[in-house]
Amino acid sequence: MLSISQELADKIVAHARADHPDEACGVIAGRNGVPERFIPMENAERSPTFYRFDSMEQFKVWKEMDERDEEPVVIYHSHTATEAYPSRTDVSYASEPNAHYVLVSTKDDTEVEFRSYRILEGDITEEEVRFIP
């Protein structure tokens, strides 16, 4: 189960809506599996159907997390025209075995689809999300 503050979840959704129609992406860093620090990142592809972290930005972010004794607790991105479910490409990029992979769909202006998955060795497992006020 992913337990995440409503404030952090709202930031993910706001980032996804702001970057629409392109996919948004980023990380929430933390310690001991607790999401704490929101890090929006640039989608190097600037695409409505695909995302990729900029390699230099990713290096800097991961280095900073390491220096702060943090880990990527949540890795998130948006889907702009489909449901919030990992694509084959998403699964192939899932390289952090302890991370929660959050997907937000921005296909509907009025509803929020916010889902979390564990992705390990190609297996996708959806998990419950608990929003903490």
Side-chain angles (χ1 to χ4, degrees):
M1 175 173 57
L2 170 63
S3 295
I4 186 169
S5 73
Q6 188 64 58
E7 178 185 2
L8 287 173
D10 289 346
K11 286 180 178 183
I12 291 173
V13 172
H15 183 204
R17 293 221 187 273
D19 278 14
H20 187 88
D22 291 335
E23 290 192 3
C25 56
V27 175
I28 298 182
R31 294 180 185 91
N32 302 314
V34 178
E36 298 169 341
R37 188 166 63 93
F38 177 72
I39 308 168
M41 295 176 68
E42 185 74 27
N43 178 353
E45 298 296 326
R46 299 306 310 163
S47 167
T49 58
F50 185 71
Y51 88 97
R52 180 178 55 82
F53 293 145
D54 174 81
S55 59
M56 288 305 296
E57 181 183 28
Q58 184 176 9
F59 176 77
K60 290 175 186 173
V61 167
W62 260 249
K63 184 174 186 269
E64 182 181 355
M65 282 190 291
D66 192 46
E67 290 167 355
R68 295 170 62 128
D69 197 29
E70 295 173 325
E71 61 186 350
V73 177
V74 172
I75 297 174
Y76 74 87
H77 76 281
S78 61
H79 282 183
T80 61
T82 61
E83 69 175 322
Y85 189 82
S87 68
R88 284 190 298 259
T89 303
D90 298 338
V91 172
S92 72
Y93 279 4
S95 61
E96 294 288 344
N98 296 320
H100 302 269
Y101 287 88
V102 166
L103 278 91
V104 173
S105 176
T106 57
K107 69 179 180 176
D108 187 328
D109 292 357
T110 59
E111 290 187 33
V112 174
E113 187 182 5
F114 187 108
R115 297 166 72 181
S116 183
Y117 304 88
R118 293 294 191 146
I119 304 174
L120 189 57
E121 296 179 5
D123 292 328
I124 304 166
T125 304
E126 186 166 8
E127 61 183 350
E128 180 183 346
V129 178
R130 182 171 61 106
F131 298 101
I132 302 167

